[in-house]
Amino acid sequence: VQLQASGGGLVQPGGSLRLSCSPSGRTDLWNFMGWFRQAPGKEREFVAAINWRGDRKVFADPVKGRFTISRNNANKIMAYLQMQSLQPEDTAVYYCAMTYGGTYDTVRNSYQYDYWGQGTQVTVSS
C-alpha cells in the first residue's frame, strides 16, 4: 500500500486548505486514517484521525474547532483534512497514514500506523 498526500500550498493566515490522501494498492479493511504534521526543527505530531466508518474522530487540541476530517471509502480518495482559520504555527509538512489496527486511545501515536504517505507542504504566511 502506498499513500499519496496532496492539497498543500501557500495560504495566508485565516485561509483554508483541504488535504487529500489517496491510496494505491489494496486498502480494504483499514481501521483508522490519520494525519500528522512536522514543522522544521520539531518532532512529528498528531493532527487528526478517523475510523473506517467515519463515526469516530480524534483531533489534537491545537486544531480542534478549525480542522475537520472525513473519509471516502468509495473511490480513490481515502481521507480528507479540511483546514480552516490557518495560522503560521500550522506551517508544516502534513502526512497521512493508515493502520489496520488502532483504537480511539492509540491513534494519536505514530507507531500505531502501518503505512505513510510522502507528505505535502502547508505554508501559512502573509
Side-chain angles (χ1 to χ4, degrees), residues 48-102:
I50 187 170
N51 69 339
W52 186 87
R53 291 189 299 180
D55 61 351
R56 304 210 80 179
K57 302 176 184 180
V58 186
F59 295 94
D61 288 343
V63 307
K64 282 182 180 177
R66 300 189 297 123
F67 290 12
T68 57
I69 188 170
S70 59
R71 96 284 180 264
N72 185 336
N73 296 330
N75 60 29
K76 289 281 188 180
I77 302 295
M78 180 180 284
Y80 300 98
L81 183 69
Q82 179 68 48
M83 306 184 294
Q84 297 178 320
S85 302
L86 285 162
Q87 300 302 318
E89 53 266 34
D90 295 316
T91 295
V93 177
Y94 283 70
Y95 299 89
C96 63
M98 183 188 79
T99 177
Y100 291 110

Side-chain angles (χ1 to χ4, degrees), residues 105-123:
D105 296 320
T106 67
V107 291
R108 296 174 182 269
N109 300 304
S110 60
Y111 68 77
Q112 178 63 69
Y113 293 84
D114 304 300
Y115 300 98
W116 291 81
Q118 87 293 354
T120 184
Q121 176 70 47
V122 171
T123 302

